[in-house]
Amino acid sequence: MFTGIGLSEAKARETLRNGALSALLRRAVLQAQSALGPALDKATGTLLYNAAARLRDPKHLGFLVGYIARREILTDLQLSAALEYVRNHPLEPLDAADFEQACGVGVCITPEQIEEAVEAVISNHRAELLAERYHFNMGLLMGEARSRLRWADGKTIKNEVDLQEVGTETRSLLEQLRGEALKFHKPGENYKTEGYVVTPNTMALLKQHLAITGGQVRTRFPPEPNGILHIGHAKAINFNFGYAKANGGVCFLRYDDTNPEKEEEKYFTAIRDMVEWLGYQPYAVTHASDYFDQLYTWALELIRRGQAYVCHQKVEEIKGHNPPPSPWRDRPVEESLLLFEDMRKGKFGEGEATLRMKLVMEDGKMDPVAYRVKFTPHHRTGDKWCIYPTYDYTHCLCDSIEHITHSLCTKEFQARRSSYFWLCNALDVYCPVQWEYGRLNLLYTVVSKRKIIRLVETGAVRDWDDPRLFTLTALRRRGFPPEAINNFCARVGVTVAQATMEPHLLEACAREVLNEQAPRAMAVLEPLKVTITNFPAPKALEVLVPNFPADESRGFHKVPFQPTLYIEETDFREEMDKGYKRLAPGQPVGLRHTGYVIAVQNVIKDASGRVMELEVTCTKSDMAEKPKAFIHWVSEPLACEVRLYERLFLHKNPEDPSEVPGGFLSDLNPDSLRVVPNALVDSSVLSARPFDKFQFERLGYFSVDPDSKEGKMVFNRTVTLKEDPGKA
């Protein structure tokens, strides 16, 4: 029951050891389940646990649980206020109205209120924020914003602080990577790095290295060509290529193609495309397989030096933390040389023999495998090899061959740093320095190849480039500019700690770039026909629309304006609510860019009473009272399909069993894609090509999808505008 409400296994067991708490929590869960059904979400479970654990007087438990079950207490902030109220009223019956006021029940804080409060707080501290960019206490902003809006959700405030902080000055990635910024060693000074192993040959090897490189910084981006790159790889690309660029160096694109059964040509092509799309040009494109002959020669040398041996333990025997030591560890060198040759000649089946190195790694893993048997043709070397080197063996030696100065990799490879140094030194070859940085993860998504394949197989997404995914090809298809992705990586910063970010930060970076790059156009998603009965000209007029209203020097485009036009269905109401500012009988609106105001004369409906058409009159703006709102419209439009995307998953961590017990496929958002088949867009976009981007006024930023064909364009919504498009 307790793990079912989101407690971890350990927390559930710890709770069970406390009999009083267990009894209260069980009571609370059963009461909530009777109101909400057997499946309780993690947020509700957390509130129930905190209520049971922090409530001093159990007689009020049912009262509090009722509010939680009715979704009237939704945050820990409200629960804390509720618990304090109960503590302060120990004797009398609780006054529901007084209690609700004290706990913020029914208080609705709008996104606009949060935005305004955060804007005011940031404005008060802008000077300090810019001066102390990376050292400013962001908790101060959070605290001030919360004091203005007591019942606002803390996470929503934090998101808004993050969003608005994007607008303050962020150091470029190159600035973060240049010179002394990272405290990395200078080329040729590898030995100054903590943990670097110096041998009698080190200084001579470094001297040779400097003679070859001229003291130039050299990095490499080494992806496996067995899948599509995702947002996490964008940080790796920016870090490796960016560090080289910032310091006048070069970066290799090296495919780690040592798993022939998983590699396909399409992945090689897509990886290079994405590197270049992000704005980087490799100094050279290389493959681990380019060096297979040299790697094999070095493996023989490693055996001769008594540092490697052929082993016959099965994979399952050497898995795990404490596998038994190999009984073949001390077999004679000559025997291992002969057996390794037999492996190369195909005399052993897959899994019958491996070549292992004699070392213990930081994580306790003993004698990692250097070569294994695989009877799979290689896409580049064909049938030449039936033994293939592993990452642990290949990686550092390829770095050595290419004279890499800084081998930059994610934090999980830290446990392999000692084996990296050990292998280069065991063979007396130039030894680069491995530096680790934190991975970049994104919430509300999955990026593992296996899970994306499951999403494709089950029809949850179309392919690797489905715009709801966070692969780089998917982001490109959705319309994210490469500059936005690079800016996002700069915004995350070059951290050693793992960074797990909200998608809205990436979206904010996209808006910033698209606002400068995407010309304006007008589109209507749910068209309502409007006929101007007193159109001021005998034929259509041409209206000039600025491509970028904030900078009219960047040009204009023409759109036709004629008696028949279309507006958004939601921009008209027959009956006005308080605060409604758009078109209604008795309430005119301006038509953007035309210089005219329209007023409803007649509402035409079908037999079911649905509004089908409006007949209106128009008046020049300078002759009419200033309208409360201006709306967009289209005339002589092009038909198009528009695809509106939301998050693919409902929970932040769809792979976390405590958050999503049914697995990530059970967490799919049924509303992640809405297709609008009969939208209309103005004719200025007619010549647009796939991936061209526009801001559709009042609707958001959109990109032309490759599915577009003559007569029917398809647009993907990249991101909404920051303002609520429904707000007048």
Side-chain angles (χ1 to χ4, degrees), residues 31-47:
Q31 182 183 335
Q33 286 176 333
S34 70
L36 298 171
L40 300 179
D41 60 60
K42 189 177 181 182
T44 302
T46 302
L47 288 170

Side-chain angles (χ1 to χ4, degrees), residues 176-447:
Q176 294 179 51
L177 295 171
R178 192 168 285 130
E180 303 291 315
L182 288 176
K183 311 296 182 200
F184 284 174
H185 70 283
K186 291 178 181 173
E189 295 185 357
N190 305 28
Y191 56 88
K192 292 186 177 180
T193 307
E194 188 180 344
Y196 190 82
V197 179
V198 177
T199 71
N201 292 328
T202 293
M203 301 316 287
L205 290 166
L206 287 174
K207 190 175 178 183
Q208 288 172 20
H209 160 72
L210 286 173
I212 290 165
T213 65
Q216 183 183 50
V217 165
R218 287 188 171 199
T219 62
R220 80 290 166 273
F221 173 56
E224 294 178 73
N226 60 5
I228 297 291
L229 301 182
H230 56 71
I231 188 67
H233 292 112
K235 180 176 178 181
I237 292 168
N238 270 282
F239 200 2
N240 281 287
F241 282 91
Y243 184 71
K245 186 176 180 180
N247 295 285
V250 297
C251 183
F252 291 71
L253 169 59
R254 184 204 309 144
Y255 295 108
D256 181 16
D257 56 345
T258 56
N259 280 314
E261 70 274 19
K262 294 180 180 176
E263 291 153 8
E264 294 181 45
E265 188 56 42
K266 68 177 181 181
Y267 297 135
F268 286 86
T269 307
I271 287 168
R272 182 163 186 178
D273 283 351
M274 288 299 98
V275 168
E276 293 178 352
W277 178 64
L278 288 177
Y280 295 108
Q281 280 296 330
Y283 168 71
V285 177
T286 60
H287 305 74
S289 56
D290 296 340
Y291 311 121
F292 277 178
D293 287 319
Q294 177 64 71
L295 294 173
Y296 178 73
T297 301
W298 274 338
L300 293 172
E301 181 61 24
L302 205 59
I303 297 170
R304 288 190 196 101
R305 294 182 178 210
Q307 302 286 13
Y309 62 95
V310 171
C311 174
H312 306 286
Q313 283 178 297
K314 300 282 183 264
V315 174
E316 49 274 15
E317 287 180 67
I318 58 175
K319 266 186 178 175
H321 281 300
N322 293 302
S326 172
W328 293 280
R329 196 172 200 266
D330 297 318
R331 76 186 332 160
V333 165
E334 288 307 319
E335 192 178 316
S336 277
L337 284 169
L338 289 169
L339 290 169
F340 189 50
E341 180 66 11
D342 287 345
M343 284 172 64
R344 190 183 71 80
K345 288 177 177 175
K347 293 183 179 179
F348 288 103
E350 291 189 13
E352 290 180 1
T354 57
L355 182 71
R356 294 175 70 180
M357 300 176 278
K358 291 186 180 178
L359 80 144
V360 179
M361 297 168 76
E362 273 116 319
D363 59 3
K365 185 178 173 186
M366 191 168 178
D367 293 1
V369 172
Y371 271 87
R372 70 276 201 224
V373 176
K374 282 182 184 288
F375 290 104
T376 306
H378 192 277
H379 72 288
R380 296 186 75 243
T381 60
D383 292 325
K384 179 177 178 182
W385 300 95
C386 64
I387 54 169
Y388 292 98
T390 60
Y391 175 91
D392 284 326
Y393 179 76
T394 309
H395 187 68
C396 60
L397 295 180
C398 288
D399 282 352
S400 179
I401 291 167
E402 292 175 353
H403 282 273
I404 301 303
T405 56
H406 299 76
S407 182
L408 309 174
C409 57
T410 48
K411 197 82 170 142
E412 66 264 32
F413 292 101
Q414 190 164 8
R416 289 161 153 160
R417 192 194 273 203
S418 61
S419 69
Y420 186 106
F421 293 156
W422 176 89
L423 183 52
C424 291
N425 291 330
L427 288 166
D428 273 326
V429 296
Y430 161 70
C431 183
V433 179
Q434 176 176 304
W435 291 95
E436 300 87 16
Y437 59 91
R439 286 174 71 99
L440 169 58
N441 295 323
L442 215 57
L443 298 170
Y444 296 102
T445 191
V446 298
V447 293

Side-chain angles (χ1 to χ4, degrees), residues 514-515 518-525 545 547 549 557 568 592-593 632-634 638-644 676 679-686 688 692-705 713-723 725:
L514 289 169
N515 187 47
R520 281 23 171 197
M522 291 191 288
V524 171
L525 301 188
V545 178
N547 295 327
H557 59 273
E568 287 288 355
R592 290 173 79 90
H593 311 298
H632 64 281
W633 53 276
V634 292
L638 306 172
C640 66
E641 178 182 301
V642 173
R643 298 170 183 171
L644 305 174
V676 182
L680 302 173
V681 62
D682 75 48
S683 53
S684 68
V685 305
L686 182 60
D692 284 354
K693 296 158 185 60
F694 299 91
Q695 185 197 110
F696 290 168
E697 295 194 26
R698 298 176 66 228
L699 296 178
Y701 294 100
F702 292 78
S703 177
V704 181
D705 190 85
M713 298 181 81
V714 178
F715 289 92
N716 295 317
R717 184 173 67 191
T718 308
V719 286
T720 57
L721 297 174
K722 188 164 189 279
E723 296 78 24

Side-chain angles (χ1 to χ4, degrees), residues 122-133 135-136 140:
I122 284 183
S123 180
N124 290 345
H125 294 280
R126 187 167 296 279
E128 304 126 272
L129 195 57
L130 291 173
E132 303 172 30
R133 184 72 180 85
H135 307 287
F136 187 81
L140 182 65

Side-chain angles (χ1 to χ4, degrees), residues 623-686:
M623 306 289 288
E625 190 179 326
K626 186 179 178 184
K628 292 180 180 177
F630 288 81
I631 63 172
H632 64 281
W633 53 276
V634 292
S635 188
E636 287 184 35
L638 306 172
C640 66
E641 178 182 301
V642 173
R643 298 170 183 171
L644 305 174
Y645 299 99
E646 300 294 343
R647 286 174 179 152
L648 183 58
F649 295 100
L650 297 169
H651 288 81
K652 286 189 173 188
N653 299 291
E655 297 168 274
D656 182 348
S658 69
E659 217 171 301
V660 185
F664 73 101
L665 289 175
S666 71
D667 195 46
L668 292 167
N669 176 7
D671 302 315
S672 63
L673 169 62
R674 179 164 80 90
V675 177
V676 182
N678 298 308
L680 302 173
V681 62
D682 75 48
S683 53
S684 68
V685 305
L686 182 60

